Amino acid sequence: MLDSERIRVALTAGAIIGTWFWDVTSDRVTMDPALEQAFGLSRTGDGWKLRDLVDSVHPEDRSDLQSAIDAAVARGGQYAHRFRTHDAGGDWRWVEARGWVNIDASGAAHSFPGVLIDIAETRRVEEARDRAESLLNTFVEAVPGVVYAKDRQGRLLIGNRGTTELIGRPPEEYLGRTDAELLHDQAQAAAIMAADARIMASGRIEQLEEEVNYPDGTRAFWLSTKAPLRDAQGEVIGLIGASLDITDRKAVEASHREIEERYRLAALATNDAIWDWRMADGHVIWNEALATLFGHERSESSAQWWLDHIHPDDRERIGASIHAVIDHGGDAWQDEYRFERADGGYAHILDRGTVLRGPGGEPVRMIGAMLDLTGRKAAQAALAESEERLRLATEASDIGFWDVDLVNDLLIWPPRTKAMFGMSAHVPVSLADFYAGLHSEDLARTSDAFAAACDPARRALYDVEYRTIGKEDGVVRWVAAKGRGLFDGERCIRVVGVAIDVTERKAVETQLKELNEQLESRVQAEVAERVRVEDALRQSQKMDAVGQLTGGIAHDFNNMLAAIIGPLDLLAGRLDPGDERARRYVDIAMEASKRAAQLTQRLLAFSRQQPLQPEALDANKLVSGMSELLAHSLGGDVQLETVLAGGLWRTHADPNQLENVILNLAVNARDAMPEGGRVTVETANCHLDHAYADDNPGISPGQYVLIAVSDTGNGMPAEVIAKAFDPFFTTKEVGRGTGLGLSQVYGFVKQSGGHVKIYSEVGNGTTVKVYLPRLHNASIEAAPPETVRPVPRGEAQEVILVVEDEAAVRQFSVDALTELGYRVFAADSAAAALRVLEAEPSIGLLFTDVVMPQTNGRKLADEATRRWPHLKVLFTTGYSRNAIIHNGALDAGVNLIGKPFTLQELAHRVREVLEGR
């Protein structure tokens, strides 16, 4: 039974809400009024059952309450349990039921008295305590490093996760124990505990570094902050501390000290001039190498002093390059320049520097080193020359070299060696690529040979043949390789050698018998091809040489003919109409002179020096227009047939000269058929490809207009075809040809940028094919019909200056122009002509020869028109030497009359120039 007085006092104080008594046997519960009110129950006559009380508590607490009651009834004795019930206002409140279960002699419960206590305030205090404790634990766990508390004896009271990781045990194994009991290194434990004791004795906070070994043996350094732990009265009852792992920081500091020491030693030991540039004031510190290398006896300078000693040609570039790094956030700078020595000479320098920046990225210092490259530059030049010789030698001999750097595990292969392993020139390689590219049957033997070459004891010659399987193309190749190791004492540092692709040699060895049988025929074919090329070259050179010769001859002939034809023409006008014999003699001389002029014209055509007047040309119209002329020239025994292609391209050529070419070819074809036959003139579009151009030197591949003249005559043997275009070569009997017909064809076609080819077999006729380049985007204008024009005359106020170095031609020109009514002056050279022009400003036309000694007619005309812009110019020549003709055509704006010329031709040409037509 409860003490009634104590219960009353508790009730009065408000701690106990009420009392109950449960008759377990009859399951009847009796409660005082306060308790009934607490459970929200109304009194009944028979009392309450336990189930009524359990159902009145908070739904979440009912199951735990029933279980606690059942457990107490089962064991008997003291009972205590917390749950929620309604208060007077209807809200839930926390209460604690305490009671005692009485059992009889058989161990069965028969009664269960108890009290109900209000624990709302207790719960509030406990929850606040739990929150504070949780916050403290969270804070301690969140603090980086190790956080702990110890008592005065050094026993651990609390520790965070860092403490657990440091000790390597769970908290339950280290709380309550000292460092001497936990740390493996007793010396470290004693030092830590002594420091802790000193701090607790002094009552002062200390920060210190401690050396600690982790359980795995790793050494660590801790920066610890320790303070005395005091009670409410201020008495020291222990120690609290926090430690951070500064192992990495200590390593960095040690590294920095080591780097500084290395820098100091390097600056003393190196041959480089080391400099340290302070950005704030431009102050530079140098090591002793500045004096030993360059003769400048100083240890400090300004940055401007350094810049002033850079070669003037390099100074602006170096200043710009170093500031490009400093001003734009860069870290490293490197450049080459020339630096002035104390003796005034210049050294070649490789300078390197590193920018040290502040927290905001601003440049603070720059440290660098100047390397004197003067000797190295000379050595590099010599090495480059040697390497170039080696490269040329290896390329000329189809040898690929290789270099294995065993120290740095590098493999150097040029493109030729990479090709032996089926690799592209730009692909990087390693020694692994070499072994991967070997045929499996050759791998072991090749590896053994390389190992023997690298072995310091054997130092064998690397001499092996192996097969490779191309990495990119899969092709199997045979390679013969030779090399030797380079040793530094007893260590092989490099293996270098050469490799040759012997795939063809291997194939040759297996097919030797067959190739021996074919060798003679292959040699003959090669020799024949070489002879053909050499013959073609000789032929081209011969034609060029003969062309130069015939051009010069034509010039001289034209001058002579001009002195014959002109006077004959003037003489014919003065003959007595009744003197038939004199007129007949003049006509005979004139006819012979014209034939001679045609001969010289053919010489000029062959030498490609005739003045062409090319235009956009429709070859079909040209052939159709000269059909009647061709038919008349061929005679009745020869049948003419024209085959004109539809949609024929245009070409750019001189129509008059092209007519002469076709007529020449047709007449030659007629002469090849003394018994009659058929001549076919055919046009076509064609394309000459690269293969054709390779077989016919001097022709460019492309699109051409073809004009072919074929006959059914006797044909020509190969030796005649080879000489057919040579000037004065002919197979006709004496008196039937000059041998210049085909030469004229050849010269005109070449001068027009085309190609001519003869196809012939003895007994099967001949075809001559003329290829003229196609002209794109050309329109054809109809030529005006020719009319017979009267000889125009001049007037006395029209003044002409004749410039000609040949006296006879000059005299005829003066007489002819005077006869035509002009006032005429004459000069025998360019210098004399300029003097006449200065003296006679009324001269309106300059009539000048092109080829003259000292200053030619073109230069004279350029100077004269520069001085007198109104002056008109008419050139005459028998051979232009490219003064007014380029690429086979007259230069733009040039007026020309060729030598020899008649009075009528001169009259018309002069009027055309004077009238600007």
Side-chain angles (χ1 to χ4, degrees), residues 759-819:
Y759 298 90
S760 182
E761 292 182 8
V762 176
N764 291 319
T766 300
T767 298
V768 181
K769 294 186 176 182
V770 173
Y771 299 90
L772 296 175
R774 177 187 179 182
L775 177 63
H776 294 272
N777 303 321
S779 59
I780 303 298
E781 297 181 0
E786 292 188 0
T787 57
V788 177
R789 297 176 294 171
V791 177
R793 298 185 60 81
E795 298 179 359
Q797 67 269 25
E798 294 179 305
V799 185
I800 300 174
L801 171 60
V802 175
V803 185
E804 172 64 64
D805 61 317
E806 289 286 341
V809 179
R810 182 172 64 251
Q811 185 61 54
F812 159 69
S813 300
V814 170
D815 292 345
L817 291 170
T818 303
E819 177 96 358

Side-chain angles (χ1 to χ4, degrees), residues 606-824:
F606 169 73
S607 64
R608 286 171 267 174
Q609 294 296 333
Q610 59 181 336
L612 298 181
Q613 298 186 31
E615 59 185 55
L617 183 66
D618 183 342
N620 279 350
K621 288 185 177 180
L622 184 139
V623 173
S624 297
M626 62 182 303
S627 296
E628 184 177 347
L629 173 63
L630 289 174
H632 176 74
S633 300
L634 294 177
D637 294 334
V638 177
Q639 178 184 356
L640 174 65
E641 181 179 353
T642 58
V643 180
L644 305 181
L648 188 67
W649 296 329
R650 304 295 188 257
T651 187
H652 195 242
D654 186 321
N656 293 327
Q657 295 297 333
L658 182 56
E659 284 184 351
N660 287 338
V661 165
I662 297 173
L663 183 60
N664 262 322
L665 295 177
V667 170
N668 279 351
R670 177 202 65 191
D671 294 342
M673 301 181 294
E675 305 299 327
R678 183 176 68 254
V679 172
T680 304
V681 181
E682 182 180 1
T683 62
N685 296 328
C686 69
H687 181 272
L688 302 182
D689 57 19
H690 287 274
Y692 184 89
D694 291 342
D695 291 338
N696 295 272
I699 182 68
S700 300
Q703 294 177 329
Y704 289 83
V705 173
L706 169 64
I707 302 173
V709 178
S710 304
D711 63 59
T712 57
N714 298 325
M716 293 184 286
E719 59 271 17
V720 172
I721 295 176
K723 299 179 180 180
F725 294 123
D726 291 1
F728 307 113
F729 174 80
T730 180
T731 58
K732 301 174 183 177
E733 60 270 18
V734 176
R736 289 205 58 193
T738 62
L740 289 173
L742 287 179
S743 299
Q744 182 184 10
V745 171
Y746 176 86
F748 164 74
V749 174
K750 289 297 181 181
Q751 192 174 359
S752 301
H755 173 61
V756 59
K757 187 79 170 180
I758 298 177
Y759 298 90
S760 182
E761 292 182 8
V762 176
N764 291 319
T766 300
T767 298
V768 181
K769 294 186 176 182
V770 173
Y771 299 90
L772 296 175
R774 177 187 179 182
L775 177 63
H776 294 272
N777 303 321
S779 59
I780 303 298
E781 297 181 0
E786 292 188 0
T787 57
V788 177
R789 297 176 294 171
V791 177
R793 298 185 60 81
E795 298 179 359
Q797 67 269 25
E798 294 179 305
V799 185
I800 300 174
L801 171 60
V802 175
V803 185
E804 172 64 64
D805 61 317
E806 289 286 341
V809 179
R810 182 172 64 251
Q811 185 61 54
F812 159 69
S813 300
V814 170
D815 292 345
L817 291 170
T818 303
E819 177 96 358
L820 292 171
Y822 299 101
R823 189 154 63 97
V824 184

Side-chain angles (χ1 to χ4, degrees), residues 216-428:
D216 61 0
T218 305
R219 185 183 181 188
F221 291 92
W222 292 83
L223 179 63
S224 300
T225 302
K226 298 183 178 182
L229 177 63
R230 302 177 186 272
D231 60 12
Q233 290 74 38
E235 294 294 326
V236 176
I237 60 174
L239 175 140
I240 58 174
S243 301
L244 290 175
D245 189 343
I246 61 170
T247 306
D248 291 341
R249 192 185 77 185
K250 294 282 286 184
V252 171
E253 290 175 351
S255 175
H256 284 174
R257 288 194 297 273
E258 182 180 359
I259 290 172
E260 290 289 341
E261 180 63 14
R262 287 179 180 174
Y263 169 71
R264 186 184 68 83
L265 294 175
L268 292 174
T270 184
N271 290 327
D272 292 355
I274 306 297
W275 49 268
D276 188 343
W277 176 17
R278 189 169 60 208
M279 300 290 184
D281 55 7
H283 188 69
V284 181
I285 299 174
W286 300 88
N287 70 338
E288 291 82 352
L290 183 65
T292 57
L293 287 177
F294 311 118
H296 297 293
E297 299 293 343
R298 60 171 60 226
S299 60
E300 298 181 7
S301 75
S302 66
Q304 188 61 44
W305 177 89
W306 164 74
L307 193 61
D308 290 342
H309 280 75
I310 294 176
H311 194 285
D313 293 343
D314 301 336
R315 192 174 300 154
E316 183 177 355
R317 174 177 59 84
I318 295 302
S321 74
I322 195 168
H323 279 287
V325 174
I326 295 171
D327 300 341
H328 295 87
D331 295 326
W333 168 78
Q334 176 175 310
D335 214 326
E336 292 187 19
Y337 56 86
R338 288 162 290 178
F339 186 74
E340 185 178 6
R341 298 189 182 96
D343 61 7
Y346 284 92
H348 287 274
I349 297 299
L350 171 63
D351 207 345
R352 299 91 68 207
T354 300
V355 182
L356 305 180
R357 299 185 179 274
E362 70 280 4
V364 178
R365 291 169 63 195
M366 191 170 183
I367 299 174
M370 295 167 57
L371 175 62
D372 189 347
L373 297 177
T374 306
R376 185 180 299 180
K377 287 284 186 180
Q380 285 177 346
L383 178 60
E385 182 179 0
S386 176
E387 289 179 344
E388 179 65 8
R389 288 175 179 172
L390 175 61
R391 183 186 67 81
L392 294 174
T394 55
E395 288 185 356
S397 59
D398 289 335
I399 296 176
F401 72 87
W402 47 270
D403 187 344
V404 182
D405 185 345
L406 297 174
V407 177
N408 299 303
D409 192 24
L410 295 175
L411 176 61
I412 300 174
W413 274 356
R416 188 180 298 278
T417 309
K418 290 180 182 179
M420 298 179 190
F421 284 76
M423 301 172 68
S424 300
H426 64 277
V427 176

Side-chain angles (χ1 to χ4, degrees), residues 289-609:
L290 183 65
T292 57
L293 287 177
F294 311 118
H296 297 293
E297 299 293 343
R298 60 171 60 226
S299 60
E300 298 181 7
S301 75
S302 66
Q304 188 61 44
W305 177 89
W306 164 74
L307 193 61
D308 290 342
H309 280 75
I310 294 176
H311 194 285
D313 293 343
D314 301 336
R315 192 174 300 154
E316 183 177 355
R317 174 177 59 84
I318 295 302
S321 74
I322 195 168
H323 279 287
V325 174
I326 295 171
D327 300 341
H328 295 87
D331 295 326
W333 168 78
Q334 176 175 310
D335 214 326
E336 292 187 19
Y337 56 86
R338 288 162 290 178
F339 186 74
E340 185 178 6
R341 298 189 182 96
D343 61 7
Y346 284 92
H348 287 274
I349 297 299
L350 171 63
D351 207 345
R352 299 91 68 207
T354 300
V355 182
L356 305 180
R357 299 185 179 274
E362 70 280 4
V364 178
R365 291 169 63 195
M366 191 170 183
I367 299 174
M370 295 167 57
L371 175 62
D372 189 347
L373 297 177
T374 306
R376 185 180 299 180
K377 287 284 186 180
Q380 285 177 346
L383 178 60
E385 182 179 0
S386 176
E387 289 179 344
E388 179 65 8
R389 288 175 179 172
L390 175 61
R391 183 186 67 81
L392 294 174
T394 55
E395 288 185 356
S397 59
D398 289 335
I399 296 176
F401 72 87
W402 47 270
D403 187 344
V404 182
D405 185 345
L406 297 174
V407 177
N408 299 303
D409 192 24
L410 295 175
L411 176 61
I412 300 174
W413 274 356
R416 188 180 298 278
T417 309
K418 290 180 182 179
M420 298 179 190
F421 284 76
M423 301 172 68
S424 300
H426 64 277
V427 176
V429 294
S430 65
L431 203 56
D433 294 313
F434 166 69
Y435 285 115
L438 294 175
H439 194 286
S440 58
E441 297 178 4
D442 303 332
L443 177 59
R445 175 170 52 82
T446 306
S447 301
D448 291 344
F450 188 79
C454 300
D455 187 353
R458 289 185 284 175
R459 305 193 182 199
L461 172 66
Y462 179 75
D463 187 358
V464 64
E465 290 187 0
Y466 50 79
R467 284 164 291 179
T468 66
I469 301 177
K471 184 176 181 179
E472 298 174 7
D473 56 18
V475 176
V476 177
R477 299 174 177 86
W478 274 98
V479 174
K482 286 188 177 183
R484 282 194 180 277
L486 302 180
F487 295 86
D488 182 7
E490 293 301 314
R491 182 179 68 154
C492 183
I493 58 174
R494 291 170 65 193
V495 183
V496 296
V498 296
I500 303 176
D501 188 338
V502 295
T503 306
E504 293 186 4
R505 192 194 75 188
K506 288 290 185 178
V508 167
E509 290 175 354
T510 59
Q511 302 175 8
L512 183 59
K513 182 177 179 180
E514 178 182 351
L515 290 179
N516 282 337
E517 294 174 353
Q518 299 176 358
L519 180 60
E520 184 177 353
S521 60
R522 291 178 61 185
V523 169
Q524 291 175 348
E526 187 70 23
V527 170
E529 176 62 19
R530 180 172 299 179
V531 169
R532 185 190 68 81
V533 173
E534 291 176 350
D535 287 345
L537 178 61
R538 282 194 298 271
Q539 178 70 9
S540 176
Q541 293 173 339
K542 180 187 71 175
M543 297 296 272
D544 287 341
V546 174
Q548 292 294 327
L549 175 63
T550 55
I553 293 173
H555 169 259
D556 293 339
F557 266 94
N558 277 332
N559 274 334
M560 289 186 288
L561 289 172
I564 296 173
I565 291 178
L568 285 175
D569 202 11
L570 289 175
L571 180 61
R574 288 173 168 75
L575 288 176
D576 184 354
D579 191 348
E580 293 295 335
R581 177 179 295 180
R583 180 168 297 279
R584 184 167 65 254
Y585 293 157
V586 170
D587 290 343
I588 292 172
M590 183 67 77
E591 180 63 26
S593 298
K594 288 182 178 179
R595 290 175 59 192
Q598 290 177 354
L599 179 63
T600 58
Q601 188 63 29
R602 291 182 178 183
L603 288 173
L604 284 174
F606 169 73
S607 64
R608 286 171 267 174
Q609 294 296 333

